[in-house]
Amino acid sequence: MVTDQLSVTFAALADPTRRAILARLTRGEATVKELSAPFAMSGPAISKHLRVLEQAGLISRGREAQWRPCRLEAAPMRAVTEFAEQYRRFWDENYARLDSYLKTLQQKDGTDEPDA
């Protein structure tokens, strides 16, 4: 079965531990040990999370002697942003219509503020 990249990215982002790892990587490269420090889980569990992120293209892992730094690869997030942008426009338009309707009600009522 073929899975599109956006679905793979969302699946990787679905887990709060993986989102926390990505948030940490926004500050720069980090080792597996540094990434695992805030979590009460085993090394293999963290490695599994890193594998999911790597397969989604959200991180890359280098090799410098014994050090295997992880770095953020934000390109797949562009598709997430574009997907979410459609819904932001939808809500902006709905809020604009609601605002217009509330102003119409205020004018009919002769008040400046809607009743709470």
Side-chain angles (χ1 to χ4, degrees):
M1 179 172 97
V2 177
T3 306
D4 65 292
Q5 183 59 45
L6 185 60
S7 295
V8 172
T9 303
F10 273 124
L13 294 172
D15 186 275
T17 300
R18 292 192 286 267
R19 291 192 306 270
I21 290 169
L22 291 175
R24 164 52 188 89
L25 290 173
T26 62
R27 299 191 315 259
E29 293 182 353
T31 64
V32 174
K33 184 176 180 179
E34 291 168 334
L35 292 172
S36 66
F39 305 105
M41 60 178 68
S42 68
I46 288 292
S47 290
K48 188 174 180 179
H49 284 297
L50 293 175
R51 234 180 346 271
V52 170
L53 292 169
E54 191 171 23
Q55 289 169 349
L58 292 166
I59 68 166
S60 61
R61 292 198 254 187
R63 186 180 262 306
E64 298 172 17
Q66 311 312 80
W67 194 49
R68 292 192 39 96
C70 296
R71 67 186 56 83
L72 180 65
E73 301 292 340
M77 296 296 283
R78 182 178 309 278
V80 171
T81 301
E82 290 168 0
F83 176 81
E85 179 63 22
Q86 300 170 55
Y87 296 95
R88 188 193 61 78
R89 283 192 303 267
F90 169 80
W91 286 111
D92 284 349
E93 290 168 8
N94 279 298
Y95 287 135
R97 283 197 307 272
L98 177 61
D99 189 46
S100 175
Y101 177 69
L102 291 174
K103 287 179 182 176
T104 302
L105 288 178
Q106 288 171 352
Q107 290 170 352
K108 285 181 185 176
D109 223 12
T111 62
D112 292 335
E113 300 276 329
D115 292 331

